[in-house]
Amino acid sequence: MLLCWTLMLHLVLHYSEVVNGNDKVFTINSVKLNVSPSSELMNGVPINLTCTVDIIQTEPFPILHHFSFLKEDSLIYNVSSKQKTAVYAIHPARVSHSGDYLCKVNSSGKERSSQELALRVTGLAKPNITLSKYEASEGDFIEVLCEVPDEKPPFEFTFIKTNNHQNRQQLVRKALHHNYVRTKFQVAEGDVFVHFECAAKIQSVVHPETSSSVRKIVTVTVPFSNPAITVWPMGNITEGKNMTIECNIVTSHATSEDVLITMQKGKQIMESSRRGSIVFNVIATVADMGNYTCKAESNKLSKSKSLYITVAELFARPQLVASSTHISEGNFLSLSCYIIGQNQTSLNFFLKKDNTFTKLMRPYGKYSKKAEAVDSGSYVCGVTIQNITKISSPVQIFVYAAVSRPVLTHDKKVSEVTVGQNFRLMCKSSSGTPPIQYAFFRGSEKLGTINVTGNASAVLQVVAALSQNFGPYRCEAKNKNIAPWKMSNLLNISVIVPVQNASLLLIPENGEVEDGTGLSLVCKVKNGSFPVNFTFYHKDEQKTNHVLYTTSVHAHNANWMNSDFKKSKEGIYSCTASNKANLVTSRHLLVKVVLASWKKTIIASSVVALAIAISAGFIWWYLHKKKKAKELSLEMARTANSSNAKMSSGLNATEDPYYVPGHNKNGENHIEASTEEKKVPLTKGTDTVYSEIRGSQQENRRPAGCNIKQRLNNHLKERDERTNRRSTLHMCSKISVALIYKHVASFYCCKGTPSG
């Protein structure tokens, strides 16, 4: 609100100054941007962008104008002037200058903008193409530069290479920050001349422009000719004949590089040379038939020529057949070698095993022997006809020696394991041709089968099961020999079950033992292999653990008993149970010693007897007190009667002649009694008192000098003494009971102090 009032006050003051002519005022009507000669023109024409500001002033005064020229919101030129016009010149205009232009003017803080002006420049200039060389050899690399002068990126350049066979190779490269780009081309084999050209396409305008360069030519020299390959004899070639293959090239005198020539058959190099030619000689066989390649290459160039050579077969490759490839030791090994389509009687076959043993076969290519384990191996047979030797395909023979009795062992130092524990069984036959199959058993249960291909042992991981009656462990071994399974030795392994859940039971169960009676402890476990070791412990008031009893039993519980349990044996009791697998501990139980029953009976009897004696004494005292009170009442009555007789002469006629102090006119006795006396009614009726008075008048009178007031004081004093005696007696009874309890407690403590 304060800001609004400040602005309003400022406007009022400003308006007042304008009206009074005290300030120089101007306003901007418009800002215009013009282009000359046109907004659409060809590449290379100069362009002027003119920005004009139209203002109105109260009076002429100089104003500094700041002109800003923007292309697509990017500042490209700015100038400050007191003139109302500013010019931005583009000499010459290029396609990259195409775009939307804007002019902004700031005059003394007032800013206005013109309308956007679209400028279009067409006709992209031809790019310039430059080559690194204009004469090259096959395999050379030529660097090509393509550039668009006076234009701004980004550009897309396309390079085109055309050889004398009109084969075109095209590469596309982009230039984002430069108006040029470079690339390389290799002169290929067979190129005689090569044409290069490039095209440029600008990407920054609404309508892309493309322009192509001129074509430039490169002449190519040949460093060496294409290789020539020939074979003798020409035509059909039969096995057994000499075959010659020749490969050569012609090199240029201007070439200084060494040219390597290689003769290849498939992927195998047969011969190589750097002297310009190769000659390869061989006695032809069917194996020599195939595709041959003659290849000449330098560091930059490679040329090749291929030829397929066919060789006719003189005779077929022999074939080797075995009666069986898997033979048990001791059986016969029978081999036969033959050639299809040949008379077998005139052929001499030979036999090789693993290329280390040669033996002539019997007529018709037969071979037989009793097989041994060493006869296993790879066999081939061969025959030679007209210096041509051919070998059959290999046949693998396996002769299996029977396995020996296997030996079963385990990896534990002792033949005892805990339930759930892993252990390894190892089975091995000292002899027998692999692979050997081993089977593991626990009693009649088959645990697993393992095949061993080498000379190692068969190893089986076993998890110890519960101590059920499975029987001993064993293994059996067999290979491909026809002999039956061989069984190993028997292996007994004891499985130990850990003890679990040790618990301690007390007798009595509440842990409170009477002094001098017995305490029994029973330690139990849930499971566990025998024997089980039980140990009982006692922790005294000094927190010291004492071993009470240790035993080893073939049971799941053990007990310990103390027949004469004393207070010195109070404390915390526990037990442990263990076997070869583990140890467990029971919870700790507190045992206390309490007073014996007979001692409790004596104390109770003593208390009861004392209570009876105190009660009897109290009753006697009460009755005696009541009797004394009655005698005192009669004595007071007599005394009152005698006093009234003496004083009757001094009484008025209207007064009651039978008035006795302590009685009202109705004859009611008002002599106060103690609290205990109120329990027995001592007040007598008027007739009784009067009769007693009359009876007393008939008796001998007491001396007239007796003072009734003195008698009343004596009576009250005697009553207070009786009250004091009663309180003292009650206190003595309490002290007596306390002394009895103290004596009994002292007696009990003295009886409990001896150890043991």
Side-chain angles (χ1 to χ4, degrees), residues 257-322:
E257 289 186 271
D258 288 337
V259 180
L260 176 65
I261 303 174
T262 57
M263 175 73 69
Q264 302 175 16
K265 179 178 182 290
K267 294 184 178 181
Q268 181 182 5
I269 297 177
M270 312 299 293
E271 293 285 345
S272 65
S273 174
R274 294 183 181 274
R275 294 190 297 269
S277 64
I278 291 177
V279 177
F280 176 69
N281 292 308
V282 66
I283 296 176
T285 63
V286 173
D288 296 323
M289 184 170 58
N291 187 62
Y292 289 80
T293 300
C294 181
K295 186 176 182 180
E297 60 181 344
S298 63
N299 293 335
K300 301 178 182 179
L301 182 63
S302 175
K303 297 180 180 182
S304 63
K305 182 68 178 290
S306 297
L307 177 66
Y308 191 87
I309 298 177
T310 302
V311 178
E313 189 176 48
L314 180 62
F315 60 92
R317 186 180 184 184
Q319 297 183 10
L320 180 63
V321 179

Coordinates of all heavy atoms in Angstrom, one line a residue, residues 257-322:
E257 N 59.1 -51.1 -53.5 CA 58.7 -52.0 -52.4 C 58.9 -53.5 -52.8 O 58.8 -53.8 -54.0 CB 57.2 -51.8 -52.1 CG 56.9 -50.5 -51.4 CD 55.4 -50.4 -51.0 OE1 54.6 -49.9 -51.8 OE2 55.1 -50.8 -49.8
D258 N 59.2 -54.3 -51.8 CA 59.2 -55.7 -51.9 C 57.8 -56.2 -52.0 O 56.9 -55.8 -51.3 CB 59.9 -56.4 -50.8 CG 61.4 -56.2 -50.8 OD1 61.9 -55.9 -51.9 OD2 62.0 -56.3 -49.7
V259 N 57.6 -57.2 -53.0 CA 56.3 -57.8 -53.2 C 56.4 -59.2 -52.7 O 57.2 -60.0 -53.2 CB 55.8 -57.7 -54.6 CG1 54.4 -58.3 -54.8 CG2 55.7 -56.2 -55.0
L260 N 55.5 -59.7 -51.8 CA 55.5 -61.0 -51.3 C 54.5 -61.8 -52.1 O 53.3 -61.4 -52.2 CB 55.2 -61.1 -49.8 CG 55.1 -62.4 -49.2 CD1 56.4 -63.2 -49.2 CD2 54.5 -62.3 -47.7
I261 N 55.0 -63.0 -52.6 CA 54.1 -63.9 -53.3 C 53.9 -65.2 -52.4 O 54.9 -65.8 -52.0 CB 54.6 -64.3 -54.7 CG1 54.9 -63.1 -55.5 CG2 53.7 -65.2 -55.4 CD1 55.6 -63.3 -56.8
T262 N 52.6 -65.6 -52.2 CA 52.3 -66.8 -51.5 C 51.4 -67.8 -52.3 O 50.6 -67.3 -53.1 CB 51.7 -66.5 -50.1 OG1 50.4 -65.8 -50.4 CG2 52.6 -65.7 -49.2
M263 N 51.7 -69.1 -52.1 CA 50.8 -70.1 -52.7 C 50.0 -70.7 -51.5 O 50.6 -71.3 -50.6 CB 51.7 -71.2 -53.4 CG 50.8 -72.3 -53.9 SD 49.9 -71.9 -55.4 CE 51.2 -71.7 -56.5
Q264 N 48.7 -70.7 -51.6 CA 47.8 -71.1 -50.6 C 46.9 -72.2 -51.1 O 46.4 -72.1 -52.2 CB 47.0 -70.0 -50.0 CG 47.8 -68.8 -49.4 CD 46.9 -67.7 -49.0 OE1 45.7 -67.8 -48.8 NE2 47.5 -66.5 -48.8
K265 N 46.6 -73.2 -50.2 CA 45.6 -74.2 -50.5 C 44.6 -74.2 -49.3 O 45.0 -74.6 -48.2 CB 46.2 -75.6 -50.6 CG 45.1 -76.7 -50.9 CD 45.8 -78.0 -51.0 CE 44.8 -79.1 -51.3 NZ 43.9 -79.4 -50.2
G266 N 43.5 -73.6 -49.6 CA 42.5 -73.4 -48.5 C 43.1 -72.3 -47.6 O 43.4 -71.2 -48.0
K267 N 43.3 -72.6 -46.3 CA 43.9 -71.6 -45.4 C 45.3 -72.0 -45.0 O 45.9 -71.5 -44.0 CB 43.0 -71.6 -44.1 CG 41.6 -71.0 -44.3 CD 40.9 -70.9 -43.0 CE 39.5 -70.3 -43.2 NZ 38.8 -70.1 -42.0
Q268 N 45.9 -72.9 -45.8 CA 47.3 -73.3 -45.5 C 48.2 -72.7 -46.6 O 48.0 -72.8 -47.8 CB 47.4 -74.9 -45.6 CG 48.8 -75.4 -45.3 CD 48.8 -76.9 -45.3 OE1 47.8 -77.5 -45.7 NE2 50.0 -77.5 -45.1
I269 N 49.3 -72.1 -46.2 CA 50.3 -71.5 -47.1 C 51.3 -72.7 -47.5 O 52.0 -73.2 -46.6 CB 51.1 -70.4 -46.4 CG1 50.1 -69.2 -46.1 CG2 52.2 -69.9 -47.3 CD1 50.8 -68.0 -45.4
M270 N 51.3 -73.0 -48.8 CA 52.2 -74.1 -49.3 C 53.6 -73.6 -49.6 O 54.6 -74.3 -49.2 CB 51.6 -74.7 -50.5 CG 50.1 -75.0 -50.4 SD 49.7 -76.2 -49.2 CE 50.5 -77.7 -49.8
E271 N 53.7 -72.4 -50.2 CA 55.0 -71.9 -50.6 C 54.9 -70.3 -50.5 O 53.9 -69.8 -50.6 CB 55.5 -72.3 -52.0 CG 55.8 -73.7 -52.2 CD 57.1 -74.1 -51.5 OE1 57.9 -73.2 -51.2 OE2 57.4 -75.3 -51.3
S272 N 56.1 -69.6 -50.4 CA 56.2 -68.2 -50.4 C 57.5 -67.7 -51.0 O 58.5 -68.5 -50.9 CB 56.0 -67.6 -49.0 OG 57.1 -68.0 -48.2
S273 N 57.5 -66.5 -51.6 CA 58.7 -66.0 -52.3 C 58.6 -64.5 -52.4 O 57.5 -64.0 -52.6 CB 59.0 -66.7 -53.6 OG 60.1 -66.1 -54.3
R274 N 59.8 -63.8 -52.5 CA 59.8 -62.4 -52.8 C 60.5 -62.1 -54.1 O 60.9 -61.0 -54.4 CB 60.5 -61.6 -51.7 CG 59.8 -61.6 -50.3 CD 60.5 -60.8 -49.3 NE 59.8 -60.8 -48.0 CZ 58.8 -60.0 -47.7 NH1 58.4 -59.1 -48.5 NH2 58.2 -60.1 -46.5
R275 N 60.7 -63.1 -54.9 CA 61.5 -63.0 -56.2 C 60.5 -62.9 -57.4 O 61.0 -63.0 -58.5 CB 62.4 -64.2 -56.4 CG 63.5 -64.2 -55.3 CD 64.6 -65.2 -55.7 NE 64.0 -66.6 -55.7 CZ 64.0 -67.4 -54.6 NH1 64.4 -66.9 -53.5 NH2 63.4 -68.6 -54.7
G276 N 59.3 -62.8 -57.2 CA 58.4 -62.5 -58.3 C 57.7 -63.8 -58.9 O 56.8 -63.6 -59.7
S277 N 58.1 -65.0 -58.4 CA 57.5 -66.2 -58.9 C 57.6 -67.3 -57.9 O 58.5 -67.3 -57.1 CB 58.0 -66.6 -60.3 OG 59.4 -67.0 -60.1
I278 N 56.7 -68.3 -58.0 CA 56.8 -69.5 -57.1 C 56.5 -70.7 -58.0 O 55.6 -70.7 -58.9 CB 55.7 -69.4 -56.0 CG1 56.0 -68.3 -55.0 CG2 55.6 -70.8 -55.3 CD1 55.0 -68.2 -53.9
V279 N 57.2 -71.9 -57.7 CA 57.0 -73.1 -58.4 C 56.8 -74.2 -57.3 O 57.7 -74.4 -56.4 CB 58.2 -73.5 -59.3 CG1 57.9 -74.9 -59.9 CG2 58.4 -72.5 -60.4
F280 N 55.7 -74.9 -57.3 CA 55.3 -75.9 -56.3 C 55.2 -77.2 -57.0 O 54.3 -77.4 -57.9 CB 54.0 -75.5 -55.6 CG 53.6 -76.5 -54.6 CD1 54.2 -76.7 -53.4 CD2 52.4 -77.2 -54.8 CE1 53.8 -77.6 -52.5 CE2 51.9 -78.1 -53.9 CZ 52.6 -78.3 -52.7
N281 N 56.0 -78.2 -56.6 CA 56.0 -79.6 -57.2 C 55.5 -80.6 -56.1 O 55.9 -80.5 -54.9 CB 57.4 -80.0 -57.7 CG 57.8 -79.2 -58.9 OD1 57.1 -79.1 -59.8 ND2 59.0 -78.6 -58.8
V282 N 54.7 -81.6 -56.5 CA 54.2 -82.6 -55.6 C 53.7 -83.8 -56.5 O 53.3 -83.7 -57.6 CB 53.0 -82.1 -54.8 CG1 51.8 -81.7 -55.6 CG2 52.7 -83.0 -53.7
I283 N 53.8 -85.0 -55.9 CA 53.2 -86.2 -56.5 C 51.7 -86.2 -56.2 O 51.4 -86.2 -55.0 CB 53.9 -87.5 -56.0 CG1 55.3 -87.5 -56.4 CG2 53.1 -88.7 -56.6 CD1 56.1 -88.7 -55.9
A284 N 50.9 -86.1 -57.2 CA 49.5 -85.9 -57.0 C 48.8 -87.0 -56.3 O 49.1 -88.2 -56.6 CB 48.8 -85.6 -58.3
T285 N 48.0 -86.6 -55.3 CA 47.1 -87.6 -54.6 C 45.7 -86.9 -54.5 O 45.6 -85.7 -54.8 CB 47.6 -87.9 -53.2 OG1 47.6 -86.8 -52.4 CG2 49.0 -88.6 -53.2
V286 N 44.8 -87.7 -54.1 CA 43.4 -87.1 -53.9 C 43.5 -86.0 -52.8 O 42.7 -85.0 -52.9 CB 42.4 -88.2 -53.5 CG1 41.1 -87.6 -53.2 CG2 42.3 -89.2 -54.7
A287 N 44.3 -86.2 -51.9 CA 44.4 -85.1 -50.8 C 44.9 -83.8 -51.3 O 44.7 -82.8 -50.7 CB 45.3 -85.6 -49.7
D288 N 45.6 -83.8 -52.5 CA 46.1 -82.6 -53.1 C 45.0 -81.9 -53.9 O 45.3 -80.8 -54.4 CB 47.3 -82.9 -54.0 CG 48.5 -83.4 -53.2 OD1 48.7 -83.0 -52.0 OD2 49.2 -84.3 -53.7
M289 N 43.9 -82.4 -54.1 CA 42.8 -81.8 -54.8 C 42.2 -80.7 -54.0 O 42.1 -80.8 -52.8 CB 41.8 -82.8 -55.2 CG 40.6 -82.3 -56.1 SD 39.6 -83.6 -56.7 CE 39.0 -84.4 -55.2
G290 N 42.0 -79.5 -54.7 CA 41.4 -78.4 -54.0 C 41.6 -77.1 -54.7 O 42.1 -77.0 -55.8
N291 N 41.3 -76.0 -53.9 CA 41.4 -74.6 -54.5 C 42.8 -74.0 -54.1 O 43.1 -74.0 -52.9 CB 40.3 -73.8 -53.9 CG 40.2 -72.4 -54.6 OD1 40.0 -72.3 -55.8 ND2 40.4 -71.4 -53.8
Y292 N 43.5 -73.6 -55.1 CA 44.8 -73.0 -54.9 C 44.8 -71.5 -55.2 O 44.1 -71.1 -56.2 CB 45.9 -73.7 -55.7 CG 46.2 -75.1 -55.2 CD1 45.4 -76.2 -55.6 CD2 47.4 -75.3 -54.5 CE1 45.7 -77.5 -55.1 CE2 47.7 -76.6 -54.0 CZ 46.8 -77.7 -54.4 OH 47.1 -78.9 -53.9
T293 N 45.4 -70.7 -54.4 CA 45.4 -69.2 -54.5 C 46.8 -68.7 -54.6 O 47.6 -69.0 -53.7 CB 44.6 -68.5 -53.4 OG1 43.3 -69.0 -53.4 CG2 44.6 -67.0 -53.6
C294 N 47.1 -67.9 -55.6 CA 48.3 -67.2 -55.7 C 48.1 -65.7 -55.3 O 47.2 -65.1 -55.9 CB 48.9 -67.3 -57.1 SG 50.5 -66.5 -57.3
K295 N 48.8 -65.3 -54.3 CA 48.5 -63.9 -53.8 C 49.8 -63.1 -53.7 O 50.8 -63.6 -53.3 CB 48.0 -64.1 -52.4 CG 47.5 -62.7 -51.8 CD 46.9 -63.0 -50.4 CE 46.4 -61.7 -49.8 NZ 45.7 -61.9 -48.5
A296 N 49.7 -61.9 -54.3 CA 50.9 -60.9 -54.2 C 50.4 -59.7 -53.4 O 49.3 -59.2 -53.7 CB 51.3 -60.5 -55.6
E297 N 51.3 -59.3 -52.5 CA 50.9 -58.2 -51.7 C 52.1 -57.3 -51.3 O 53.2 -57.9 -51.1 CB 50.2 -58.7 -50.4 CG 50.9 -59.6 -49.5 CD 50.2 -60.0 -48.3 OE1 49.1 -59.4 -48.0 OE2 50.6 -61.0 -47.7
S298 N 51.9 -56.0 -51.2 CA 52.8 -55.1 -50.6 C 52.2 -54.5 -49.3 O 51.2 -55.0 -48.8 CB 53.1 -54.0 -51.6 OG 52.0 -53.2 -51.9
N299 N 52.9 -53.5 -48.8 CA 52.4 -52.9 -47.6 C 51.0 -52.3 -47.8 O 50.2 -52.2 -46.8 CB 53.3 -51.8 -47.1 CG 54.6 -52.5 -46.6 OD1 54.7 -53.6 -46.3 ND2 55.7 -51.7 -46.7
K300 N 50.7 -51.8 -49.0 CA 49.4 -51.1 -49.2 C 48.5 -51.8 -50.1 O 47.3 -51.5 -50.2 CB 49.7 -49.7 -49.9 CG 50.6 -48.8 -49.0 CD 50.8 -47.5 -49.8 CE 51.8 -46.5 -49.0 NZ 52.0 -45.3 -49.7
L301 N 48.9 -52.8 -50.9 CA 48.1 -53.4 -51.9 C 48.2 -54.9 -51.9 O 49.3 -55.4 -51.5 CB 48.6 -52.9 -53.3 CG 47.9 -53.3 -54.5 CD1 46.4 -52.8 -54.5 CD2 48.6 -52.8 -55.8
S302 N 47.1 -55.5 -52.3 CA 47.1 -57.0 -52.3 C 46.3 -57.4 -53.5 O 45.2 -56.9 -53.8 CB 46.4 -57.5 -51.0 OG 46.3 -58.9 -51.1
K303 N 46.9 -58.4 -54.3 CA 46.2 -58.9 -55.5 C 46.3 -60.4 -55.4 O 47.3 -61.0 -55.0 CB 46.8 -58.4 -56.8 CG 46.7 -56.9 -57.0 CD 47.4 -56.5 -58.3 CE 47.3 -55.0 -58.5 NZ 47.9 -54.5 -59.8
S304 N 45.3 -61.1 -56.0 CA 45.3 -62.6 -55.9 C 44.6 -63.2 -57.1 O 43.8 -62.5 -57.8 CB 44.6 -63.1 -54.6 OG 43.3 -62.6 -54.6
K305 N 44.9 -64.5 -57.3 CA 44.2 -65.3 -58.4 C 44.1 -66.7 -57.9 O 45.1 -67.2 -57.3 CB 45.1 -65.2 -59.7 CG 44.5 -66.0 -60.8 CD 43.3 -65.2 -61.4 CE 42.7 -66.0 -62.6 NZ 43.6 -65.8 -63.8
S306 N 43.0 -67.3 -58.1 CA 42.7 -68.7 -57.6 C 42.4 -69.6 -58.8 O 41.9 -69.2 -59.8 CB 41.5 -68.7 -56.7 OG 41.8 -67.9 -55.5
L307 N 42.7 -71.0 -58.5 CA 42.5 -72.0 -59.5 C 42.1 -73.3 -58.7 O 42.8 -73.7 -57.7 CB 43.7 -72.2 -60.3 CG 43.6 -73.4 -61.4 CD1 42.6 -73.1 -62.4 CD2 45.0 -73.6 -62.0
Y308 N 41.1 -74.0 -59.1 CA 40.7 -75.3 -58.5 C 41.3 -76.4 -59.3 O 41.1 -76.5 -60.5 CB 39.2 -75.4 -58.5 CG 38.7 -76.6 -57.6 CD1 38.6 -76.4 -56.2 CD2 38.5 -77.8 -58.2 CE1 38.2 -77.5 -55.4 CE2 38.1 -78.9 -57.4 CZ 38.0 -78.7 -56.0 OH 37.6 -79.8 -55.2
I309 N 42.0 -77.3 -58.6 CA 42.7 -78.4 -59.3 C 42.0 -79.7 -58.9 O 41.8 -80.0 -57.7 CB 44.2 -78.5 -58.9 CG1 44.9 -77.2 -59.3 CG2 44.9 -79.7 -59.4 CD1 46.4 -77.1 -58.9
T310 N 41.7 -80.6 -59.8 CA 41.1 -81.9 -59.6 C 42.1 -83.0 -59.9 O 42.8 -83.0 -60.9 CB 39.9 -82.0 -60.5 OG1 38.9 -81.0 -60.3 CG2 39.2 -83.3 -60.3
V311 N 42.1 -84.0 -58.9 CA 43.0 -85.1 -59.0 C 42.1 -86.4 -59.0 O 41.4 -86.6 -58.1 CB 44.0 -85.1 -57.9 CG1 44.9 -86.4 -58.0 CG2 44.9 -83.9 -57.9
A312 N 42.3 -87.2 -60.1 CA 41.5 -88.4 -60.2 C 42.2 -89.5 -59.2 O 43.4 -89.6 -59.1 CB 41.5 -89.0 -61.6
E313 N 41.3 -90.3 -58.5 CA 41.7 -91.3 -57.6 C 42.2 -92.5 -58.2 O 41.6 -93.1 -59.1 CB 40.6 -91.6 -56.6 CG 41.0 -92.5 -55.4 CD 39.8 -92.7 -54.5 OE1 38.7 -93.0 -55.0 OE2 40.0 -92.5 -53.3
L314 N 43.4 -93.0 -57.8 CA 44.0 -94.3 -58.4 C 43.3 -95.5 -57.7 O 43.0 -96.5 -58.4 CB 45.5 -94.3 -58.2 CG 46.2 -95.5 -58.7 CD1 46.1 -95.7 -60.2 CD2 47.7 -95.5 -58.3
F315 N 43.2 -95.4 -56.4 CA 42.5 -96.5 -55.6 C 41.9 -95.8 -54.4 O 42.3 -94.7 -54.0 CB 43.4 -97.6 -55.3 CG 44.5 -97.3 -54.4 CD1 44.4 -97.3 -53.0 CD2 45.7 -96.9 -55.0 CE1 45.5 -97.0 -52.2 CE2 46.8 -96.5 -54.2 CZ 46.7 -96.5 -52.8
A316 N 40.8 -96.4 -53.9 CA 40.1 -95.9 -52.7 C 40.9 -95.9 -51.5 O 41.9 -96.8 -51.3 CB 38.8 -96.6 -52.6
R317 N 40.5 -95.1 -50.6 CA 41.2 -95.1 -49.2 C 40.8 -96.4 -48.5 O 39.6 -96.8 -48.5 CB 40.8 -93.9 -48.4 CG 41.5 -93.7 -47.1 CD 41.0 -92.5 -46.4 NE 41.7 -92.2 -45.2 CZ 41.4 -91.2 -44.4 NH1 40.4 -90.4 -44.7 NH2 42.1 -91.0 -43.3
P318 N 41.8 -97.1 -47.9 CA 41.4 -98.3 -47.1 C 40.5 -98.0 -45.9 O 40.5 -96.9 -45.4 CB 42.7 -98.9 -46.7 CG 43.7 -97.8 -46.7 CD 43.2 -96.8 -47.8
Q319 N 39.8 -99.1 -45.5 CA 38.9 -99.0 -44.4 C 39.3 -100.0 -43.3 O 39.6 -101.2 -43.7 CB 37.5 -99.2 -44.7 CG 36.9 -98.1 -45.7 CD 35.5 -98.3 -46.0 OE1 34.8 -99.1 -45.4 NE2 35.0 -97.5 -47.0
L320 N 39.4 -99.6 -42.1 CA 39.7 -100.5 -40.9 C 38.5 -100.7 -40.1 O 37.8 -99.8 -39.7 CB 40.8 -99.9 -40.1 CG 41.3 -100.7 -38.9 CD1 41.9 -102.0 -39.3 CD2 42.3 -99.9 -38.0
V321 N 38.2 -102.0 -39.8 CA 37.0 -102.4 -39.1 C 37.5 -103.3 -37.9 O 38.3 -104.2 -38.1 CB 36.0 -103.2 -40.0 CG1 34.8 -103.6 -39.1 CG2 35.6 -102.3 -41.1
A322 N 36.9 -103.0 -36.7 CA 37.2 -103.8 -35.5 C 36.0 -104.6 -35.1 O 34.8 -104.1 -35.3 CB 37.7 -102.9 -34.4

